[in-house]
Amino acid sequence: MDNKKEINYQAIFYFGITFVGVGVVFMASVNPGLGAAFIAIGGMNMIIGMKHKDKWPKK
């Protein structure tokens, strides 16, 4: 079976932006450690998405 799916790196980038925003809110209001973790996860997703920008869907 050859079930290879194309990875949408643009969606991963936007997912990272969302996680950074959630991290800022958590850092300010709930728990600074949890907020920093969300920011780190979001930053990694943004880096992965930008590294593969050439594979984003063309408009």
Side-chain angles (χ1 to χ4, degrees):
M1 280 194 219
D2 194 13
N3 293 352
K4 289 187 179 180
K5 287 192 174 184
E6 192 73 26
I7 297 173
N8 188 349
Y9 289 104
Q10 187 175 17
I12 291 175
F13 178 77
Y14 292 138
F15 184 68
I17 291 174
T18 304
F19 258 67
V20 169
V22 169
V24 169
V25 171
F26 269 63
M27 188 174 274
S29 61
V30 180
N31 184 349
L34 187 60
F38 278 130
I39 290 171
I41 292 169
M44 292 297 234
N45 282 319
M46 289 173 63
I47 290 169
I48 291 168
M50 287 304 294
K51 186 168 182 157
H52 297 283
K53 188 171 169 94
D54 57 329
K55 297 178 185 174
W56 285 17
K58 304 290 186 237
K59 290 186 179 182

